[in-house]
Amino acid sequence: LIGIANLPDVDFLAGYLVGDPGVYHWGPTHSIAAALLVGGIVAWRFAQRAGGFTPVFVLVTAAYLSHIVCDLLLGPGAGPAVGLQVFWPFSGERLMAPWALFRMAPPSIETAGPLHALFSREVLPMITREIVILGPVTLALWALRRFRSSTQTRTSFLERSRFDGPVL
Ligand SMILES: [Zn+2]
């Protein structure tokens, strides 16, 4: 799912191949159509092997869409002329949220390469900001999941004891 959530930025690789990393960025790979397509392909392949199309489709599509939502939340700081082609292929319009939650990567990372993007001093504050914003959300979801799974375990234990007789 982490790989799927990063998949929209595969458009950078196409850009590197033609010598301009940003030339295809925020295009069709950052659309709802691409999210549905990837979710459909992965779920279809999964269903062939193990069954259960819908849960995998929802999970994979949501992971892909999370990337698009996060990119949209870079906001107007990314510049008035840029944005994501969210509704491609039905519209080529580029959209961006009216306010910025996250920070745009410095232009130097496009020329310095992807490893520089991960380890440069310019990018560290951006990564820190994203961890500070998304860390509590992740912890809250993790805690909710733990709480729900412990409740379900208790319920199934009680249901089992009802059928099997008293548990000593
Ligand atoms: Zn992106």
Side-chain angles (χ1 to χ4, degrees):
L1 288 174
I2 291 171
I4 293 288
N6 283 283
L7 193 57
D9 280 348
V10 74
D11 56 10
F12 272 124
L13 296 180
Y16 277 112
L17 290 177
V18 297
D20 184 358
V23 71
Y24 302 119
H25 194 43
W26 285 349
T29 62
H30 287 69
S31 66
I32 294 169
L36 294 171
L37 180 68
V38 170
I41 290 171
V42 173
W44 173 65
R45 290 291 294 148
F46 188 86
Q48 280 183 328
R49 297 174 60 180
F53 179 91
T54 305
V56 177
F57 175 74
V58 170
L59 204 58
V60 170
T61 304
Y64 198 102
L65 285 174
S66 72
H67 181 111
I68 295 171
V69 170
C70 287
D71 273 2
L72 283 170
L73 292 174
L74 289 166
V82 295
L84 286 70
Q85 290 184 314
V86 175
F87 296 110
W88 180 90
F90 304 105
S91 167
E93 187 182 1
R94 291 182 175 271
L95 303 174
M96 191 56 80
W99 38 266
L101 184 62
F102 302 117
R103 296 280 184 263
M104 192 67 192
S108 62
I109 71 160
E110 289 189 12
T111 51
L115 283 181
H116 176 78
L118 288 176
F119 300 110
S120 81
R121 199 180 302 166
E122 297 169 284
V123 175
L124 195 61
M126 292 169 40
I127 294 173
T128 305
R129 182 183 174 90
E130 292 174 10
I131 290 171
V132 166
I133 292 169
L134 295 174
V137 175
T138 306
L139 282 175
L141 290 172
W142 176 78
L144 179 68
R145 186 172 182 272
R146 268 186 75 92
F147 174 75
R148 286 186 61 188
S149 68
S150 71
T151 308
Q152 286 168 353
T153 305
R154 214 175 304 136
T155 305
S156 63
F157 176 76
L158 289 174
E159 283 173 355
R160 214 177 324 121
S161 67
R162 200 182 308 146
F163 293 110
D164 297 344
V167 176
L168 299 176

